[in-house]
Amino acid sequence: MCDLLGISGGASIINEEALFQHVQFKAGQRIHTIGQPFEMLYIVNSGFLKSVMIDASGNEHILSFPMKGDLFGVDGIHTKQYAAEAVALSSCDIILVPFKKFSSIGKTHAELETAIYGVISRELIREHAMITILGSLSAEARVARFLALLSERFSDMGYSGRHFNLRMTRHEIGSYLGLTLETVSRTLSAFNEIGLISVDQRAIEINNLDALKTLRRLPPSRARGKQDAAKALKKAASVKPSDSVPQSC
């Protein structure tokens, strides 16, 4: 648990009281539901999930996509009930941390308790960063930052930050970013068109991470067409006469 969360000193408290259960979930299974009594904190050992709130009309709003090393379930601490539900997007291995047990360990190992609260603070900072993105950036920039953040997270987990598969659907990405399915699909296609990424269904290849981090808006489609035409003309002009096919007389 400490290794996953990046907490040092975990080896100093190894005993039966500090051991936690692993539970496997299949894609589509709920780890906890809205209104369920709060008893556990959860740590992702492997796999991908979505944290979801449901409004009065039954519409789904995605709050986050927990993945390896993430802590979730903290929304239940205040009211003693979970305010959101967590759903597995792939096969997952989840570490269950009973809150009473964690509190008991914290009384004798204050450094662990402080470190866990630091992890909770980290999750809040991520949420605040996403709120900033949603409130200040264009639709294209939101999708670009989302891909850049995913790339960085995969790299941090030891996976390829350039080639990866999206575990969430385009509809789910749209729900997370406050965009429609059509906007997400159109934006990914535009990124593919201008060479920022390569897209094959859910498979993504990042070609220009720096551009994704700084992109504010895409040029109009007509302008992109002109850019493509200009590139083609430039490439044709660079062909040497000796490289061309001889013309018949």
Side-chain angles (χ1 to χ4, degrees), residues 230-245:
K231 288 179 182 178
L233 289 173
K234 185 177 181 180
K235 183 177 181 180
S238 66
V239 177
K240 298 178 181 179
S242 57
D243 294 335
S244 60
V245 178

Side-chain angles (χ1 to χ4, degrees), residues 18-188:
L19 298 179
F20 300 100
Q21 181 183 9
H22 286 250
V23 177
Q24 280 71 45
F25 294 88
K26 295 180 180 179
Q29 283 189 296
R30 284 166 171 74
I31 289 74
H32 64 73
T33 58
I34 297 171
Q36 178 181 327
F38 169 73
E39 296 178 344
M40 301 278 182
L41 294 175
Y42 303 88
I43 301 169
V44 185
N45 186 46
S46 65
F48 299 85
L49 305 98
K50 62 180 179 179
S51 178
V52 181
M53 289 193 73
I54 310 295
D55 65 20
S57 300
N59 298 312
E60 180 181 280
H61 300 277
I62 295 180
L63 305 176
S64 63
F65 293 109
M67 57 189 73
K68 183 178 179 180
D70 285 346
L71 174 74
F72 65 95
V74 297
D75 57 290
I77 294 176
H78 176 58
T79 63
K80 306 305 179 185
Q81 291 183 332
Y82 296 106
E85 66 178 22
V87 184
L89 292 176
S90 68
S91 295
C92 297
D93 181 80
I94 307 296
I95 300 174
L96 275 55
V97 182
F99 193 69
K100 288 183 178 179
K101 187 176 182 179
F102 160 69
S103 299
S104 176
I105 295 173
K107 292 177 182 178
T108 53
H109 299 279
E111 70 279 7
L112 176 62
E113 185 178 44
T114 300
I116 288 288
Y117 288 141
V119 172
I120 293 174
S121 177
R122 181 188 68 191
E123 300 301 326
L124 290 175
I125 290 171
R126 285 178 179 167
E127 288 185 12
H128 292 168
M130 182 51 60
I131 290 172
T132 300
I133 287 175
L134 294 179
S136 62
L137 297 179
S138 66
E140 299 96 336
R142 294 182 201 180
V143 177
R145 299 301 190 281
F146 175 74
L147 293 175
L149 289 172
L150 267 186
S151 175
E152 292 176 353
R153 290 299 307 277
F154 278 116
S155 295
D156 291 342
M157 290 188 291
Y159 305 133
S160 172
R162 185 178 178 188
H163 301 268
F164 53 84
N165 289 327
L166 295 174
R167 300 295 180 173
M168 60 292 293
T169 66
R170 282 153 174 71
H171 174 75
E172 289 168 335
I173 294 173
S175 174
Y176 181 53
L177 298 177
L179 304 172
T180 64
L181 163 65
E182 292 76 15
T183 298
V184 173
S185 297
R186 185 170 60 249
T187 301
L188 290 174

Side-chain angles (χ1 to χ4, degrees), residues 203-244:
I204 300 290
E205 179 179 357
I206 304 294
N207 298 324
N208 193 332
L209 181 59
D210 290 336
L212 290 175
K213 291 179 178 179
T214 58
L215 183 141
R216 299 191 66 83
R217 289 189 181 278
L218 286 172
S221 57
R222 184 178 299 177
R224 295 203 299 271
K226 291 180 179 178
Q227 290 174 357
D228 292 341
K231 288 179 182 178
L233 289 173
K234 185 177 181 180
K235 183 177 181 180
S238 66
V239 177
K240 298 178 181 179
S242 57
D243 294 335
S244 60

